[in-house]
Amino acid sequence: MSKKTMENNKWIKTEQMLKALKNDPDNEHEYRHWLGGILCSTHWLIFISKKEVFGDSTNWNNYDWYSESEYIELHAGEWWHLDA
């Protein structure tokens, strides 16, 4: 998919997603992570404000924890979509 198509369909880059999570701390959000083509994976993400860490789970409450820099290192520039 082109960048324009992704943006028109409200997909955001990793860096924008982390900012959105920080703006709504301590609340879990469900995002789709675009893997290419028609493939996506579902992630449950949360920012814990007291610890300044991001939790990422593909298996509900079984979180892996990352600092912002660690998460960007893993997923810089990748596409995400907030599922309502």
Side-chain angles (χ1 to χ4, degrees):
M1 275 188 243
S2 72
K3 180 179 178 182
K4 185 175 182 180
T5 299
M6 296 300 276
E7 290 172 348
N8 287 342
N9 288 313
K10 302 194 187 232
W11 288 80
I12 59 175
K13 296 280 189 167
T14 300
E15 297 79 2
Q16 294 168 292
M17 180 193 67
L18 296 179
K19 184 177 180 181
L21 289 168
K22 285 176 113 177
N23 286 332
D24 191 16
D26 308 313
N27 290 309
E28 183 181 74
H29 297 277
E30 183 179 337
Y31 278 88
R32 277 184 287 151
H33 181 210
W34 185 61
L35 302 174
I38 62 168
L39 299 175
C40 294
S41 64
T42 300
H43 292 248
W44 289 267
L45 295 146
I46 191 168
F47 174 70
I48 303 298
S49 58
K50 287 185 179 179
K51 296 182 179 181
E52 293 280 319
V53 294
F54 293 89
D56 182 342
S57 174
T58 56
N59 189 18
W60 293 280
N61 291 314
N62 186 19
Y63 287 106
D64 292 318
W65 299 98
Y66 303 93
S67 68
E68 185 169 3
S69 62
E70 290 171 328
Y71 207 83
I72 289 173
E73 185 177 322
L74 287 171
H75 297 290
E78 296 177 3
W79 292 101
W80 300 82
H81 190 279
L82 178 61
D83 290 339

